[in-house]
Amino acid sequence: MNGAASIGFQSLLSIFISLFCIVLAWRLLLNVRIEAILRVKQAYHVKWMMIFLSVILGHLLARFILDYLTWSRWLPSLISS
């Protein structure tokens, strides 16, 4: 693959992994009864907090996965040099 196609593929992969991790975090947070823990009277506050938490947790998970993929691609250069 040439440079532009490689960068495009990496960008597309990053977007898909990030979105997948955010959706995964959202689905996991749906099982947690945050409103019962915090005793919030207005449900929309809890939904907004769950959206923010899912984006933050999803981003952290996606960043870990993408870093891990990058590090694993760098390993052969360590061995060959």
Side-chain angles (χ1 to χ4, degrees), residues 17-79:
I17 289 176
S18 295
L19 288 176
F20 174 76
C21 289
I22 290 170
V23 169
L24 179 66
W26 173 258
R27 299 285 296 178
L28 291 173
L29 284 174
L30 285 177
N31 294 324
V32 178
R33 305 268 311 163
I34 296 175
E35 64 273 0
I37 296 170
L38 298 178
R39 288 179 236 141
V40 178
K41 292 178 177 44
Q42 296 164 334
Y44 69 92
H45 287 209
V46 174
K47 290 294 181 187
W48 277 107
M49 189 175 72
M50 285 178 57
I51 290 170
F52 288 132
L53 280 174
S54 63
V55 170
I56 291 168
L57 293 173
H59 175 74
L60 288 173
L61 179 61
R63 188 75 260 150
F64 171 76
I65 292 170
L66 292 170
D67 284 344
Y68 190 83
L69 288 173
T70 302
W71 298 332
S72 65
R73 280 191 326 207
W74 289 346
L75 279 178
S77 65
L78 176 71
I79 295 170

Side-chain angles (χ1 to χ4, degrees), residues 8-19 66 69 73:
F9 178 73
Q10 288 175 351
S11 299
L12 193 60
L13 182 67
S14 296
I15 289 170
F16 283 134
I17 289 176
S18 295
L19 288 176
L66 292 170
L69 288 173
R73 280 191 326 207

